[in-house]
Each structure stands twice: as C-alpha cells, then as structure tokens.
Amino acid sequence: MNTGTDGAAPQPLLFDSLPETEPRRRPARRARATTLAEPIAVDAVREPAPPPLPPMLAAPPAPPIPRPPPAVLDPAALTNPELRALVQGLTDQRLAWLVVEAAREVKRRLVPDDPDDSGEAAEPNPVLLRAARQTAGELSGEDA
C-alpha cells in the first residue's frame, strides 16, 4: 500500500481527471424588449362590509350646523379709506340719493321736531352742525 509518505507520488485527486470546459456565458441582453409582457390578474383583498345596524339601534344623523348670520354692515365702523372706496363705487344716481338722505337725517337731528318739556329748543349737536357746514361749503365750492 502506497500512502504517499515514503517518497512516492501523491495520489491524484478525484476531480483532476475531468476535462476542463469554458465557463458558460449568458446570452447578450437586448436593449429593448421585443414583446410586451402579458397582463397579470391581481387578486384584490377586500374586507367584507360590516352588516348594517337595525333601524332602532342606528343613531339619527346629526343636524346640520347652521351658518352664523352675516355681519350687519356698520358704516360707522368703516375707516375713511373704506368709506371713500364704497362711495366711489356708487353710481351717480345712488350717490345723489345717499347725499339727499344724509342731508335730511342731519337736518332732522339738528332741528328736533319736539322741544323739551320746558318749552326751550334743544341745542344742536356741534359735531353734526360742523359736518353740515363743511358739506354745504364743499357742495357750494366755497372754502369753509
């Protein structure tokens, strides 16, 4: 028996006697596909809907929330630029009506119909009196 320890040639390995082959090459990939992929059916996962509640147990729908009423336009709260923009947007007829109504209201407030119980006439409001004089001066073209 030759074990290879006494100077004899070593025993050949099992795979040394197989013929050598070149490694297998993959076929070259094409730059673009020549055929379209076939459509694939996809199963959708759906959970069953819960069973409806009996009418006695179902809660009634909530009443709709009412919208707050629109804010009332308070001309006294408008700033001077806002008032000017509002007046400039009016047509001549509406502006004329507004001037006439404003003049009537100023006159009514300056000269009250019923005097006080003492028989004396009430003093006119100095702010309204000054505004009436300024308006009359501007309308007449005179400088106040």
Side-chain angles (χ1 to χ4, degrees), residues 70-87:
V72 178
L73 177 65
D74 183 17
L78 296 175
T79 63
N80 284 341
E82 291 172 337
L83 280 172
R84 284 189 196 100
L86 178 66
V87 170

Side-chain angles (χ1 to χ4, degrees), residues 63-71:
I65 299 172
R67 290 184 178 174

